[in-house]
Amino acid sequence: MTLTKRIIPCIDVDLDDEGDPAVYTGVNFEDLEYTGDPVEMAREYNESGADEFVFLDITASADGRETMLGVVEDVADEIFIPLTVGGGIRTTEDIKETLRAGADKVSINSGAIANPDLVNEGAKAFGSQCIVISVDAERRYDEQGDHYVEVDGESCWFECTVKGGREGTGLDVVSWAEEAEERGAGELFVNSIDADGTKDGYDIPLTKAVCDAVDTPVIASSGCGGPEDMYEVFEDAGADAALAASIFHFGEYSIREVKEYLDDHGVPVRL
């Protein structure tokens, strides 16, 4: 049986000047623009035909604070599709509390890199299907990596960054993806800092490098400008799911339009 490809909208949530949760959209993890209310947007995406929904608290790790669990509860009350929540998850207790708030999966980046045993512990305690390892990848053109690809005639590798892309780690994305899979991660969430918000298409070399290295399902993220880009990341990189934000948030495309395009081009999707 052919597995359908998943289309996943994502909201990046931060606190506004009044301390209230709000959705923001940016470019290259910067220049954030207010986009809407997280609960209202969740409700709309639940009704739109999305396969899953991702809620990322984009400053929890950098600010050293807890995830907005009250908002997670409100979002979970509005949707009936799988919900993945990320941001500020550092311990198995954080995982438990996030799942208890209504998440079906947790997305972990900085916390897993700081403590790789968290992947093993989380998978053992809650099941691999709940553990999504997220990587915020950035291209590097030096000789410090483990796995290299050709991009526009140059050889590069991809570095894992943390704290919303603010800090490099020296860790090769492909090596970390392989390790995370061995430790029990049920899914890999691949973000490209270079492509984020550009609408120039997903980072195909990055996504393909991860997909080729692991058997674990891979969610491609960052750079989507339309259904053609989703087709490309499915066909050329082998992604299992495509995540997008701004093209949905600002009404450039509906999830139905994207799925109909993919279906017309032979990509199996849930209509």
Side-chain angles (χ1 to χ4, degrees):
M1 183 177 67
T2 302
L3 293 177
T4 57
K5 301 294 188 179
R6 291 168 288 147
I7 306 302
I8 306 175
C10 172
I11 56 172
D12 291 341
V13 185
D14 196 359
L15 299 175
D16 64 17
D17 293 338
E18 284 72 46
D20 297 320
V23 178
Y24 290 89
T25 306
V27 177
N28 305 129
F29 284 34
E30 297 178 347
D31 302 324
L32 298 179
E33 174 186 353
Y34 174 79
T35 309
D37 176 79
V39 178
E40 290 179 6
M41 293 179 72
R43 183 186 305 119
E44 292 170 1
Y45 283 127
N46 180 72
E47 297 170 353
S48 71
D51 296 304
E52 299 186 14
F53 187 66
V54 171
F55 175 114
L56 298 179
D57 184 337
I58 56 175
T59 58
S61 291
D63 294 347
R65 61 172 173 78
E66 301 299 318
T67 310
M68 309 172 193
L69 293 183
V71 188
V72 172
E73 290 176 353
D74 293 340
V75 166
D77 286 343
E78 293 293 337
I79 66 174
F80 303 96
I81 53 178
L83 170 64
T84 299
V85 175
I89 296 173
R90 305 174 189 85
T91 66
T92 54
E93 185 65 22
D94 292 337
I95 297 173
K96 183 174 80 170
E97 291 301 318
T98 305
L99 295 174
R100 181 177 289 171
D104 298 282
K105 311 175 192 178
V106 294
S107 174
I108 314 171
N109 180 4
S110 301
I113 289 176
N115 175 24
D117 287 340
L118 180 61
V119 185
N120 308 62
E121 295 164 0
K124 182 178 179 181
F126 308 105
S128 290
Q129 77 282 354
C130 294
I131 307 301
V132 181
I133 294 305
S134 174
V135 292
D136 292 340
E138 191 162 18
R139 293 180 181 181
R140 299 289 185 236
Y141 293 90
D142 56 34
E143 299 179 355
Q144 304 302 311
D146 302 328
H147 301 83
Y148 286 81
V149 298
E150 288 292 321
V151 178
D152 298 328
E154 293 188 77
S155 181
C156 77
W157 63 286
F158 302 98
E159 182 183 21
C160 294
T161 67
V162 295
K163 296 186 178 179
R166 296 172 180 81
E167 292 184 11
T169 64
L171 182 60
D172 186 293
V173 166
V174 176
S175 297
W176 174 230
E178 292 172 334
E179 180 178 346
E181 179 178 67
E182 291 173 1
R183 288 178 174 274
E187 201 159 34
L188 298 169
F189 180 12
V190 181
N191 311 292
S192 168
I193 293 176
D194 303 286
D196 179 68
T198 63
K199 299 184 184 177
D200 291 333
Y202 296 94
D203 190 326
I204 299 300
L206 164 66
T207 310
K208 186 177 187 326
V210 176
C211 289
D212 287 349
V214 300
D215 296 319
T216 301
V218 173
I219 303 169
S221 175
S222 308
C224 183
E228 300 88 349
D229 295 330
M230 291 186 174
Y231 176 82
E232 182 183 33
V233 84
F234 288 140
E235 293 297 301
D236 295 348
D240 299 275
L243 181 144
S246 58
I247 66 164
F248 296 141
H249 295 347
F250 300 117
E252 296 168 37
Y253 294 93
S254 69
I255 290 174
R256 175 175 290 278
E257 287 173 326
V258 166
K259 288 190 171 185
E260 288 177 348
Y261 175 92
L262 293 171
D263 183 60
D264 289 343
H265 288 76
V267 176
V269 291
R270 183 180 64 85
L271 293 171

